[in-house]
């Protein structure tokens, strides 16, 4: 390492040793790294670091199995994630894996939109070390977007796929995930439909865990708005309407990432699921209405004044451009 008078290096993070928490600067000494930032002004800290280095930590790290054992009393969250092959599939799933490793008592159900399991997903979940089930359910050709042959309301450009709203997406994959939950027959738990390109705060998992029937919350960057979701009457704590720009009168005008269902409700309805016959934007409403009405829904993440906290974001990974591949072809066997 080279140090200049103006150089400042900041390591941001936490390291846990025997129940006490110290800054990631501790890791610099423990791991044998050279910490140069403000070293001469932190002699007392360095003395403390050396003492910690000499003391053997009783619990240097927690594995997933330890976390699971410590949280055995918590209801399990069953996350159903439809996923399909694309250039950004691995990075989306990798980001989600890192989040789920921090969530106790979770079971990740991945449903691949393929005829057979892929090696990419198998490799990722094996390394992720989160309790999981991987199954496949290919979308029928009749439910896939067609290539536009002429311009219309569904086809903005010739030669490109139809608009995304022409067919409900993830229907058969989510239904396959529900079938897995029914096969597992959990004594308790919560079902959450977690798409692989969203971004999740740990708060959302804590909030949904005590769902009695249907819980709902705000989703950021959704519905072409800053946020979308329930509006709550602070006097009653009930949902009175939906903050949504498109058809706010829908029974459930929210994003797929904005609700969870008690697993008992799924087990009690063996044939219930999503349908490709749902009108545009009504997939969530058609699924939730038979379980609970808007007024029966349990809002999460609201303060006493009815102001929401955003705990999940409907982010989308930017489509990649491989035009420079023509100049120097990448090895197709490299997993990206």
């Amino acid at each position: 390492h080279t140090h200049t008078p103006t150089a400042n290096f900041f390591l941001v993070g936490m390291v846990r040793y025997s129940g006490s928490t110290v800054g990631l600067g501790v890791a610099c000494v423990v791991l044998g790294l050279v910490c140069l930032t403000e070293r001469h002004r932190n002699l007392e800290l360095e003395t403390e670091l050396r003492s910690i280095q000499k003391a053997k930590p009783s619990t240097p790290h927690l594995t997933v199995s330890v976390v699971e054992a410590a949280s055995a009393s918590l209801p399990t969250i069953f996350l159903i994630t439809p996923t399909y092959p694309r250039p950004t599939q691995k990075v989306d799933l990798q980001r989600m894996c890192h989040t789920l490793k921090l969530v106790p008592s979770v079971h990740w159900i991945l449903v691949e939109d393929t005829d057979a399991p892929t090696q990419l997903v198998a490799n990722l979940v094996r390394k992720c070390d989160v309790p999981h089930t991987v199954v496949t359910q290919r979308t029928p050709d009749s439910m896939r977007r067609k290539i536009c042959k002429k311009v219309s309301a569904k086809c903005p450009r010739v030669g490109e796929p139809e608009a995304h709203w022409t067919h409900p997406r993830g229907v058969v994959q989510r239904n396959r995930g529900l079938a897995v939950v029914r096969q597992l027959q959990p004594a308790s738990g919560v079902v959450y439909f977690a798409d692989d390109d969203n971004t999740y705060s740990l708060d959302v998992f804590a909030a949904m865990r005590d769902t009695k029937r249907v819980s709902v919350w705000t989703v950021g960057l959704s519905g072409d708005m800053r946020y979308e979701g329930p509006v709550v009457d602070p006097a009653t704590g009930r949902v009175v309407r939906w903050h949504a720009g498109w058809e706010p009168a829908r029974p459930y005008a929210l994003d797929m990432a904005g609700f969870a269902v008690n697993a008992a409700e799924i087990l009690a309805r063996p044939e219930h699921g999503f349908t490709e016959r749902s009108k545009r934007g009504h997939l969530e409403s058609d699924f939730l209405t038979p379980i609970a009405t808007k007024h029966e829904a349990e809002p999460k993440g609201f303060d006493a004044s009815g102001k929401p906290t955003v705990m999940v974001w409907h982010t989308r990974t930017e489509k990649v451009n491989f035009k420079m591949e023509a100049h120097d072809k990448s090895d197709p066997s490299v997993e990206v």
Side-chain angles (χ1 to χ4, degrees), residues 121-149:
V121 172
N123 290 341
L124 187 138
V125 295
R126 176 174 53 82
K127 296 177 181 178
C128 183
D129 201 22
V130 167
H132 63 271
T133 299
V134 179
V135 293
T136 64
Q137 187 68 58
R138 187 180 183 277
T139 300
D141 291 339
S142 61
M143 295 175 61
R144 293 182 181 273
R145 291 187 292 166
K146 309 297 187 295
I147 299 299
C148 297
K149 296 182 179 180

Side-chain angles (χ1 to χ4, degrees), residues 219-229 242-246 248 253 314:
V219 177
L221 310 179
S222 177
D224 293 329
M225 302 181 69
R226 292 183 64 243
Y227 62 88
E228 184 182 52
W242 304 102
H243 177 66
W246 187 77
H314 193 163

Side-chain angles (χ1 to χ4, degrees), residues 1-264:
H1 300 276
T2 302
H3 180 238
T4 63
T6 59
N8 285 309
F9 299 86
F10 293 92
L11 294 169
V12 181
M14 303 292 282
V15 179
R16 189 172 297 275
Y17 287 93
S18 305
S20 63
T21 302
V22 294
L24 189 58
V26 174
C28 298
V29 174
V30 174
L31 299 177
L33 303 177
V34 180
C35 294
L36 301 174
T37 304
E38 299 182 289
R39 185 168 184 174
H40 300 294
R41 289 182 289 170
N42 289 284
L43 295 179
E44 291 184 1
L45 176 60
E46 289 199 11
T47 301
E48 180 183 353
L49 300 185
R50 292 191 189 96
S51 66
I52 292 174
Q53 185 183 24
K54 293 178 182 178
K56 184 178 180 180
S58 58
T59 309
H61 64 278
L62 287 176
T63 63
V64 172
S65 59
V66 173
V67 173
E68 288 296 321
S71 60
S73 62
L74 289 174
T76 300
I77 298 175
F78 297 92
L79 290 102
I80 297 176
T81 300
T83 187
Y84 64 97
R86 60 193 187 278
T88 61
Q89 182 183 25
K90 182 177 180 179
V91 68
D92 284 336
L93 290 175
Q94 189 73 64
R95 182 177 61 246
M96 194 165 180
C97 161
H98 290 164
T99 299
L100 297 184
K101 286 171 76 74
L102 302 174
V103 182
S105 194
V106 65
H107 190 111
W108 194 12
I109 302 172
L110 295 101
V111 187
E112 298 192 66
D113 187 358
T114 54
D115 291 317
T118 64
Q119 195 61 50
L120 183 148
V121 172
N123 290 341
L124 187 138
V125 295
R126 176 174 53 82
K127 296 177 181 178
C128 183
D129 201 22
V130 167
H132 63 271
T133 299
V134 179
V135 293
T136 64
Q137 187 68 58
R138 187 180 183 277
T139 300
D141 291 339
S142 61
M143 295 175 61
R144 293 182 181 273
R145 291 187 292 166
K146 309 297 187 295
I147 299 299
C148 297
K149 296 182 179 180
K150 62 179 181 179
V151 175
S152 67
K154 296 181 179 180
C155 288
R157 296 181 181 85
V158 174
E160 294 188 5
E162 295 174 315
H164 67 83
W165 46 262
T166 54
H167 298 280
R169 292 178 294 175
V171 169
V172 295
Q173 287 78 31
R174 294 187 183 101
N175 287 341
R176 182 69 178 90
L178 290 172
V180 172
V181 174
R182 294 182 178 110
Q183 290 169 356
L184 293 172
Q185 287 288 307
S188 63
V190 178
V191 176
Y192 182 46
F193 300 98
D195 289 350
D196 59 7
D197 57 351
N198 288 343
T199 302
Y200 303 90
S201 163
L202 298 182
D203 294 335
V204 73
F205 302 107
M208 72 175 71
R209 204 178 291 273
D210 65 350
T211 299
K212 296 178 178 61
R213 290 174 69 185
V214 172
S215 57
V216 293
W217 51 82
T218 301
V219 177
L221 310 179
S222 177
D224 293 329
M225 302 181 69
R226 292 183 64 243
Y227 62 88
E228 184 182 52
V231 176
V232 174
D233 179 357
T236 63
R238 291 187 176 183
V239 178
V240 292
R241 65 181 182 87
W242 304 102
H243 177 66
W246 187 77
E247 287 197 20
R250 286 174 288 163
Y252 280 90
L254 42 59
D255 187 81
M256 189 68 67
F259 68 88
V261 179
N262 190 297

